[in-house]
């Protein structure tokens, strides 16, 4: 009996380990053409296989039970096949993949990503662009539908996600964010992407907490042939032309690809926002043999566009949500005073090694060029901006000695008649030779070299090791350059407030193309290395990853500024940061169709460059005792993969600690009035919430989806606030002879972060006809969005009367709380429609795509911020007594009804 029991156990164990062999072939639907390098995977596991040149694939697995087999390839629809693994061979036969007729939808997303608003006071940074490669229904909705309302996944901005091209990091030193304009307009060659969501491990990098995207630009990975497309839109640009050619890999292993595009608009949806861009791409790849290949890639994307501004409620009520104060007519043509001009070419060389056990990708890149922002400078002259508070009706209504309705009516009439920049008046003011107005560029001239290498080693069945190194060195020249003297002969390079020279050792009189105002260099380096261990055993799967990094910053002043004689020119101290990052995750498979995943991370990181030097345009001062930031995060996820129903439910908690923030503004505070640099330290932020995404295949043609996001993003500490200023004015006008004042803590804990809607819901329906046309509609509801708060008004200085230095008698807690109540933006609904049709005619693939966003033309705010001018209780209270405050919050407004139409031909 005992012998029988032992034999039974041994036999059971052997049977349990009997592998299952899956095999089949993959071809393009409607043809007999085999599909090479289609990815075959078992959902919820790391089991994968690629089809060969003949479209054949084979996979051997020890898994048992019911699973979903997933077959995917770039430019083709993904197919999901229910399978049962029982230790016997499974012949899947011939599998046909149809061309993805929704592929043009990524072009639609890119136009949304390019709508990224930017202003001198506030920046709205989208994370939508990083999500375009994902099939996750929640992230898909976040990118394609919520993105137009500046929704951010988990409240993170794009700094928290890494973007790589051919394995080389593209995030900028200045703000940590990828600059999508550097490859804008090259949609055809950026479709091949590998995306990992959140803390999920990446083959190429330790990464960020939002996720990681590697854009693979190897010609051998593109669809060979010619693709021509043209687009029309009323969003950021009006028209686009694009052409791409990719060769077939010939017998000698050589392949190449070229792409070019042109985008333009006299003005976009917002008035006066011109668009002028062209892009070029070229790559050549040589496959030395089956395992080794080298690639040379070049990218040039030049983008010139007119910018727009946030506006107050008063201005919106007068002229609507398309109004933009930055432009005016000159000689019958639109001229925008705030243009952005980006041209930063990239050249890179890559080496790829691929074998059964080991993959390596190495790269060397050089990026150079300029990022310039234009503006109007005014010197001992009236402010040229038409929305300046003294030009609006509210200035006269809010008169401290009584409302002046007559002049308010005249101001209203004048603004409605001529509410744009008056270029003719500026030329007239400059007619005496010396410039009262100057049109100039704030220019960043960067030169950056990057090197990276990453390797993926399959140790044995179920175990994997990834490791890599990244090095980046930046030399950045920052200066103001006169573009147009607007009819004047010269500009006197003197600060009008303190009557001091900006360039003490240079010429006082500056002319066009001269550098003036400020001139300095920044050197930055980053060296980081990561290693990652992954495993899969029975029902368990997991990973552990670590990263070490070192970051250095240094400023070198070229101008000696008379206001900061001692520390404006020459080298600053070297500011360096050493950091450690750890993350881990584990997945438990309840079955092949249900699994639970949890991930956690503790990451130290250097502050971004813009938050290290207090006032880099004028001096070398560094934020005192600046420290590493820390990020602690945890998420728990449940995945559902049934034949007709798929979904994900996630809960997340993230805390950012020890962060630093620097702001620039003029303030009438309780300790005096001046243009200041506000430095916040020990600033913590909390992000927590729940995400849900469900997709149900109602029939072979109809798909339903539901998405929800409920979250809270809060300030989680009361940061320390210091204001800095120059001391070059008259002694009685200087706030403090030391040049800075410690205002203590700002009581902002539990105020909401201005990180986009914190609540979002969507219901979608999609119909795909067997005759290759499709249509989809999504109803979206977004809410709990808040304007950014002014920090200085939450310090103790707000309570002080600047005339007496004593507290305002009526500045009680109740009155202050009422006055400083955070502005919540209105909730709103959006209906989006998309559809398309494709044809295959004589070997030519023709497709048309159209989208209509905000079909009901809803008017909604996407963000905003409190102005900091009224920095004391008495002044803010007085300004708030009327319906339209002179320094009321400013808001950005989303686009109304917009469309995007694309026609493409491939052959």
């Amino acid at each position: 009996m005992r012998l029988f029991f032992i034999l039974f156990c041994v036999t059971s164990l052997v049977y349990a380990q009997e592998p299952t062999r899956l095999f089949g072939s993959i071809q393009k639907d409607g043809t007999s053409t085999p599909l090479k390098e289609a990815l075959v995977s078992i959902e919820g596991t790391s089991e994968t296989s690629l089809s060969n040149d003949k479209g054949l694939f084979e996979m051997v697995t020890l898994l048992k039970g019911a699973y979903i087999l997933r077959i995917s390839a770039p430019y083709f629809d993904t197919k999901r096949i229910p399978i049962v693994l029982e230790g016997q061979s499974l012949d899947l036969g011939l599998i046909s993949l149809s061309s993805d007729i929704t592929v043009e939808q990524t072009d639609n997303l890119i136009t949304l990503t390019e709508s990224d608003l930017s202003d001198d006071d506030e920046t709205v940074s989208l994370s939508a662009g990083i999500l375009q490669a994902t099939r996750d229904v929640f992230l898909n909705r976040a990118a394609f539908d919520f993105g137009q309302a500046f929704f951010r996944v988990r409240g993170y901005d794009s700094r928290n996600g890494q973007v790589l091209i051919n394995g080389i990091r593209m995030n900028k030193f200045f703000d940590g964010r990828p600059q999508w304009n550097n490859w804008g307009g090259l949609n055809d060659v950026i479709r091949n992407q590998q995306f990992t969501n959140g803390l999920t491990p990446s083959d190429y990098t330790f990464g960020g907490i939002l996720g990681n995207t590697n854009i693979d630009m190897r010609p051998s990975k593109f669809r060979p042939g010619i693709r021509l497309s043209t687009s029309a839109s009323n969003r950021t640009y009006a028209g686009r032309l694009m052409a791409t050619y990719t060769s077939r890999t010939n017998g000698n292993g050589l392949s190449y690809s070229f792409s070019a595009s042109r985008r333009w608009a006299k003005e976009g949806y917002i008035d006066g926002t011109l668009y002028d861009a062209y892009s070029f791409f070229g790559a050549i790849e040589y496959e030395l043999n089956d395992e080794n290949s080298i690639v040379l890639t070049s990218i040039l994307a030049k983008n010139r566009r007119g910018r727009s501004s946030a506006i107050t409620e008063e201005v919106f009520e007068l002229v609507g949500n398309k109004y933009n104060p930055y432009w005016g007519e000159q000689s019958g043509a639109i001229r925008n005073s705030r243009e952005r001009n980006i041209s930063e070419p990239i050249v890179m060389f890559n080496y790829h090694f691929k074998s059964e056990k080991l993959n390596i990708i190495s790269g060397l890149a050089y990026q150079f060029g300029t990022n310039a922002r234009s503006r109007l400078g005014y010197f001992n002259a009236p402010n040229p901006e038409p929305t300046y508070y003294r030009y609006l009706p509210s200035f006269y209504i809010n008169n401290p000695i009584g409302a002046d309705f007559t002049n308010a009516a005249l101001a209203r009439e004048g603004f409605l008649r001529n509410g744009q920049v008056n270029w003719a008046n500026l030329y007239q003011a400059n007619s005496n030779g010396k410039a009262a107005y100057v049109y100039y560029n704030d220019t960043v001239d960067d030169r950056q070299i990057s090197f990276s290498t990453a390797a993926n080693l399959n140790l044995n069945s179920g175990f994997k090791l990834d490791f890599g190194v990244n090095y980046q060195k930046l030399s950045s020249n920052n200066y103001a350059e006169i573009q147009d003297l607007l009819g004047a002969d010269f500009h006197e390079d003197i600060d009008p407030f303190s009557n001091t020279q900006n360039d003490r050792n240079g010429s006082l009189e500056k002319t066009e193309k001269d550098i003036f105002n400020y001139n300095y260099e920044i050197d930055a380096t980053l060296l980081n290395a990561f290693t990652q261990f992954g495993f899969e055993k029975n029902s368990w799967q997991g990973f552990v990853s670590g990263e070490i990094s070192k970051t250095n910053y240094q400023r070198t002043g070229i101008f000696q500024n008379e206001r900061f004689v001692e520390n404006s020119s020459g080298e600053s101290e070297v500011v360096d940061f050493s950091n450690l990052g750890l993350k881990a995750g584990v997945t438990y498979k309840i079955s092949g169709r249900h699994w639970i995943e949890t991930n956690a991370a503790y990451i130290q990181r250097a502050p971004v460059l813009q938050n290290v030097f207090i006032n880099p345009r004028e001096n070398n001062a560094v934020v005192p005792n600046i420290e590493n930031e820390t990020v602690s995060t945890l998420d728990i996820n449940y995945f559902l993969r049934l034949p007709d129903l798929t979904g994900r439910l996630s809960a997340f908690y993230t805390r950012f600690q020890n962060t630093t923030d620097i702001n620039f503004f003029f303030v009438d505070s309780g300790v005096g009035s001046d243009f200041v640099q506000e430095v916040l330290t020990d600033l913590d932020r909390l992000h927590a919430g729940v995400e849900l995404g469900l997709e149900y295949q109602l029939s072979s043609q109809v798909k339903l989806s539901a998405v929800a996001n409920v979250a809270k993003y809060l300030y989680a500490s009361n940061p320390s606030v210091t204001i800095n200023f120059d001391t070059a004015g008259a002694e009685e006008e200087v706030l403090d002879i030391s040049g800075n004042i410690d205002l203590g803590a700002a009581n902002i804990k539990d105020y909401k972060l201005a990180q986009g809607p914190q609540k979002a819901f969507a219901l979608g329906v999609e119909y795909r006809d067997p005759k290759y046309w499709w249509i989809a509609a999504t109803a979206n509801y977004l809410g709990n969005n808040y304007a950014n708060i002014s920090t200085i008004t939450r310090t103790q200085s707000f309570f002080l009367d600047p005339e007496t230095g004593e507290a305002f008698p009526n500045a009680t807690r109740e009155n202050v709380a009422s006055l400083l109540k955070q502005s919540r933006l209105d909730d709103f609904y959006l209906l989006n429609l998309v559809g398309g049709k494709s044809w295959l005619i004589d070997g030519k693939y023709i497709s048309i795509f159209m989208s209509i966003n905000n079909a009901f033309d809803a008017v909604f705010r996407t963000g905003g911020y409190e102005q900091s001018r009224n920095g004391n209780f008495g002044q803010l209270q007085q300004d708030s007594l009327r319906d339209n405050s002179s320094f009321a919050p400013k808001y950005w407004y989303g686009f109304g009804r917009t469309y995007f139409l694309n026609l493409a031909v491939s052959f």
Side-chain angles (χ1 to χ4, degrees), residues 174 234 394 441 545 553 602 629 638 688 724 729 831 839:
F174 178 72
N234 66 337
S394 59
N441 278 346
S545 183
Y553 301 128
Y602 176 81
E629 301 175 359
Y638 165 68
N724 298 262
L831 177 66
W839 300 265

Side-chain angles (χ1 to χ4, degrees), residues 46-82:
S46 61
E47 304 276 2
T48 62
S49 177
L50 290 174
S51 59
N52 62 19
D53 293 348
K54 297 180 179 180
L56 303 175
F57 72 91
E58 182 178 358
M59 181 187 298
V60 177
T61 177
L62 294 173
L63 296 172
K64 296 291 184 292
Y67 288 87
I68 301 293
L69 189 71
R70 181 188 182 95
I71 301 97
S72 61
Y75 314 107
F76 290 88
D77 283 332
T78 297
K79 182 161 287 189
R80 302 174 71 248
I81 302 173

Side-chain angles (χ1 to χ4, degrees), residues 86-107:
E86 298 177 324
Q88 299 175 357
S89 293
L90 187 57
D91 184 357
L92 295 164
L94 183 63
I95 301 171
S96 297
L97 293 188
S98 303
S99 293
D100 185 0
I101 59 177
T102 69
V103 69
E104 310 299 340
Q105 195 169 7
T106 59
D107 289 1

